[in-house]
Amino acid sequence: MPVTSSNPPTPPASRLAGLAGKLTAEAVAGTAVFVLAFGLFFYLTRVVFREHSQGFDAWGFAQMDRLRHACPWTFEVAKALTFFGSVWFFIPASLLVPLVLHRRGLGRYAVELLLAMGGGLALNELLKAFFHRARPASALFYQYGLSFPSGHAMMSMAYYGCLAWLVVQQGRRWGAGAALVGFAVAIGLTRVYFHVHYPTDVLAGFCGGAAWLVLLRTGIRLFWKEKKLIKN
């Protein structure tokens, strides 16, 4: 007698149901991270604009002042780091890197990076205009614009966070991904080091950038998989 398999092949409908369940789980997880990040963001707005608390800001400035006085060489390091979160770096990087990704067949990541930077910039400017917080009077050099949230912190988290996800997805290089996120954090901290942003500005920028990136990534991933299902 012919031997029959005890596990019949999975019907296409079941595979689609499983994929839908996976997408739903990803959407829920993404929403949870988004809500958590923006929950912290709005907690900071309460601390800064309603309670007018300066404890965290004073503590953060004191730590950076202690570092600068103890290790004067860190000034040049911070000056170099902060460049990689500036508009002078992000404008060419946000155009050239997506072009390279597209030519390597990573069109989805190219679109995601472009949207992460374009949308993140628009969101940051809207938030700055809404909260209208002046920069610290103790800044070591003049910096144009408003203070809350930090554009360097927000855009660095969006840009390097997006690249971190790319290297993890493509090669499971978790160390490289963590290094990219750490680099974004270091760039944000230079703004406190130079007193051009309050520590609360920088923390809010990290939260805003992370939340925007998670929301964008969730939307793009759902759109791309839905597009593939329609084609199939």
Side-chain angles (χ1 to χ4, degrees), residues 97-107 110 166 170 173:
V97 174
L99 180 61
V100 172
L101 292 174
H102 177 72
R103 289 185 173 180
R104 292 189 176 184
L106 300 172
L166 170 62
Q170 292 300 305
R173 297 190 291 271

Side-chain angles (χ1 to χ4, degrees), residues 79-98:
K79 189 176 178 181
L81 277 175
T82 205
F83 169 75
F84 291 99
S86 69
V87 65
W88 304 110
F89 173 77
F90 279 139
I91 288 178
S94 297
L95 297 174
L96 294 176
V97 174

Side-chain angles (χ1 to χ4, degrees), residues 8 38 40 55 58 71 93 98 104 169 173 197 199 211 221:
F38 261 102
L40 178 56
C71 306
R104 292 189 176 184
Q169 285 290 293
R173 297 190 291 271
H197 277 294
R221 191 165 186 179

Side-chain angles (χ1 to χ4, degrees), residues 124-211:
N124 183 257
E125 290 300 319
L126 287 172
L127 291 170
K128 281 178 180 288
F130 179 80
F131 292 108
H132 213 270
R133 188 187 197 186
R135 289 182 183 269
S138 58
L140 300 186
F141 54 82
Y142 174 75
Q143 186 73 56
Y144 174 79
L146 297 168
S147 198
F148 186 96
S150 165
H152 271 66
M154 189 167 175
M155 300 310 297
S156 294
M157 187 59 68
Y159 183 80
Y160 297 108
C162 191
L163 292 181
W165 183 256
L166 170 62
V167 299
V168 169
Q169 285 290 293
Q170 292 300 305
R172 299 295 175 185
R173 297 190 291 271
W174 293 96
L180 284 165
V181 173
F183 190 62
V185 171
I187 289 171
L189 292 178
T190 65
R191 312 309 283 168
V192 182
Y193 181 95
F194 292 122
H195 283 230
V196 292
H197 277 294
Y198 295 99
T200 45
D201 299 336
V202 172
L203 185 55
F206 289 148
C207 291

